[in-house]
Amino acid sequence: MTTLVKHLGRSDYLPVWEAMKQFTNTRNADTPDELWLLEHPPVFTLGQAGKPEHILDAGDIPVVKSDRGGQVTYHGPGQLTGYCLFDLKRLGLGPRAFVELIEDTLVDVLVEMDIPAAANRNAHGVYVGQKKIASLGLRIRKGCSYHGFALNVDMDLAPFARINPCGYAGLQMTQLHDFLRKETPSVAAVGDMIAKALQYNLQARLTP
């Protein structure tokens, strides 16, 4: 079944979160999977088990307590956020396998751009050296996923210094822009590359 890809542009976090929950609660066995690609205005989000002490100085940036996995992260303009609304039961994928599929997809796209990225299976996410370039956090409900990944493309990384990213004190963040000698692609263009790679990797995994 083909994944529907939707570009939502720049959208506030709370309405999109509500829409994800609504989609997941009302979908059925025949509902196509969807990938929502967007940017958020500045916001810190805490995962379900997120510890408030990992927010060092929120300042004027709002904090939202979310229902995804993981600790605290930052979303802002210039970052590609991808929300993965997939029926994992139908795909025959467990949560860990799906997270690793997303990580591998992000790595594939970055390596294609000559960025030496790698997935960290212990501290989930995608890294270039010791610096983190993409974060993941999912929620599984009724065998279906929502929330997803955030890939730093060309953004102001300064707000990450106001938190312990993903619960790790001193973790350095990086972005595509720091590694590309030529012009950095737009967030939407990077989203299209990831959507294509994710569809390819899903088909490869599901084809005997």
Side-chain angles (χ1 to χ4, degrees), residues 81-199:
T81 300
Y83 289 135
C84 304
L85 297 105
F86 285 77
D87 187 333
L88 301 189
K89 190 174 181 181
R90 182 170 64 200
L91 292 170
L93 291 173
R96 185 181 181 87
F98 187 56
V99 166
E100 293 180 355
L101 181 76
I102 297 170
E103 289 175 335
D104 291 343
T105 297
L106 295 171
V107 168
D108 289 346
V109 171
L110 295 179
V111 169
E112 186 71 24
M113 301 167 101
D114 293 323
I115 299 173
N120 185 326
R121 300 304 199 204
N122 296 315
H124 278 294
V126 177
Y127 295 74
V128 183
Q130 298 300 311
K131 295 183 177 181
K132 194 168 193 177
I133 197 167
S135 304
L136 284 84
L138 293 172
R139 173 73 189 268
I140 312 299
R141 179 172 168 80
K142 299 191 299 183
C144 298
S145 67
Y146 60 105
H147 294 290
F149 65 87
L151 172 65
N152 304 332
V153 178
D154 188 1
M155 63 186 298
D156 177 10
L157 295 174
F160 283 106
R162 302 194 199 178
I163 60 174
N164 293 327
C166 307
Y168 293 97
L171 176 63
Q172 297 295 302
M173 305 297 289
T174 190
Q175 57 185 329
L176 265 68
H177 177 75
D178 295 343
F179 298 95
L180 299 179
R181 296 178 183 176
K182 53 189 179 182
E183 185 177 351
T184 305
S186 68
V187 170
V190 175
D192 284 335
M193 287 185 261
I194 290 170
K196 184 177 180 181
L198 182 60
Q199 190 69 33

Side-chain angles (χ1 to χ4, degrees), residues 1 33 86-88 90-93 101 199-208:
M1 187 177 287
D33 295 328
F86 285 77
D87 187 333
L88 301 189
R90 182 170 64 200
L91 292 170
L93 291 173
L101 181 76
Q199 190 69 33
Y200 177 86
N201 285 346
L202 275 169
Q203 292 294 343
R205 179 159 188 128
L206 298 176
T207 302

